[in-house]
Amino acid sequence: MIKDSELILNPDGSVYHLNLKPENIAHDIIFVGDQDRVEAITKYFDTIEFTTQKREFKTQTGTYKGKCLTVLSTGIGPDNIDIVLNELDALVNIDFTTRTIKPQLTQLNIVRVGTSGSLQADIPVDSILMSTHAIGTDNMLRTYSLNNVTNVSMENAFVAHTNWHPSKGTPYAIAASNKLVAKFKDSTLHEGITITAGGFYGAQGRVLRINLQDAQINDKIDSFEFEGSRATNLEMETAAIYGLSRLLSHHSLSLNAIVANRKNGTFSQNPYETVEKLIQFTLNKIID
């Protein structure tokens, strides 16, 4: 039996942070970072049957062209993903009455729809990128027993290429779900390795008033390649989503609206239009 202190439920029986009960979610889920983006997606739904919000975690469940979907805002960063993935898994794979793991486990399909900055000059603003792999520099996943879910060869290559300082912990490398990569693959998409940072400023090489541990880290990351794939973009959730999904046997994929290009120093003139393009693409693919 799972202790009350480990699986925390609200007085109404919903899971602690997400404020959800098992019947409130679909098995196909779209993640967004920004709570305001939830309704930017669900405005296209035929019906909305459930809505709740607690802190930054907003959820709406309904139907789109006959398919039941949930849209959930995760907030920013790997720490929030740790909450969201574990609580979603608990909703489908733990019996809240007996506090035991169900004998038959359910796999969720999770697609992240987010914004990101390109690391490469030839991946322009206003394009869409699919993360075939992700490298996390945040260490969140290493609090778990990884059971060979990471790509150790990619990790070692990244550490060697960047001369990664050991005091920052070992980055982890994770592949997207093969099933979802095949489902969403499209000639209009760029593909590559997404670098997930645990912060927005120093963790992504930005300098305001504090010097970086490694002033050349951006150039090192930008030039990283592994077995024909290169580092393409930088954001704050993908590797955590991929890692926890692998550990919990769910399928996940990250789709990125490129709104900035660090190499060219450019930013989208209409980022909302680019996000809208990504939303339309995702909805059309997810119902196939």
Side-chain angles (χ1 to χ4, degrees), residues 112-134:
R112 172 190 176 269
V113 171
T115 56
S116 185
S118 170
L119 303 178
Q120 305 298 336
D122 61 338
I123 301 178
V125 296
D126 302 322
S127 60
I128 299 174
L129 183 141
M130 177 168 69
S131 306
T132 58
H133 299 78

Side-chain angles (χ1 to χ4, degrees), residues 35-44 51 58 60 71:
Q35 57 194 310
D36 292 335
R37 198 171 291 153
V38 172
E39 292 184 0
I41 296 176
T42 61
K43 69 182 180 183
Y44 294 107
T51 300
K58 180 173 183 175
Q60 289 192 323
V71 184

Side-chain angles (χ1 to χ4, degrees), residues 271-284:
Y272 298 105
E273 185 175 295
T274 305
V275 171
E276 183 66 25
K277 180 173 71 171
L278 174 55
I279 289 170
Q280 295 282 355
F281 174 85
T282 303
L283 288 173
N284 288 333

